[in-house]
Amino acid sequence: MNHFLGQVVKLDSNQLTDTSYFLITKQDRENGMYEIEDGNGNVFGAWDDVLTSVDTTEFLDAIQTGKVTNETIIRSWVKNQDLYR
């Protein structure tokens, strides 16, 4: 498994919602799956091959352009950057 709990990720081919950024909320190591949430209470299942990490430049740009507005996703990303305690 290439991702961790609390990590902000995006789907390679996002056809589920208007949001392209998700938060990993659970890992199912036995089946190699993640539970991801869009910050609006919508939960989905995903595998490693459809998830990609979000780098700092992309995430900050998404915040500035209004693509990411959910407080839970922003806090999780900031926390994982060791900027929030």
Side-chain angles (χ1 to χ4, degrees):
M1 298 191 85
N2 299 327
H3 304 285
F4 54 89
L5 288 175
Q7 183 179 9
V8 176
V9 293
K10 65 180 182 174
L11 296 177
D12 281 341
S13 146
N14 181 13
Q15 311 221 347
L16 300 174
T17 68
D18 294 337
T19 305
S20 59
Y21 297 94
F22 296 87
L23 180 63
I24 295 178
T25 55
K26 289 184 183 177
Q27 290 180 320
D28 180 354
R29 293 189 186 278
E30 186 176 311
N31 295 311
M33 284 190 70
Y34 301 95
E35 182 177 281
I36 59 174
E37 184 177 321
D38 67 357
N40 297 317
N42 300 312
V43 178
F44 308 97
W47 288 273
D48 272 330
D49 60 342
V50 298
L51 297 176
T52 57
S53 300
V54 179
D55 66 30
T56 302
T57 303
E58 177 183 358
F59 193 75
L60 293 176
D61 182 57
I63 291 172
Q64 290 177 340
T65 59
K67 292 179 184 175
V68 176
T69 58
N70 184 276
E71 187 176 320
T72 303
I73 290 177
I74 294 170
R75 278 189 180 184
S76 184
W77 185 85
V78 170
K79 183 178 179 184
N80 287 321
Q81 303 304 310
D82 292 328
L83 301 172
Y84 177 83
R85 300 193 195 287

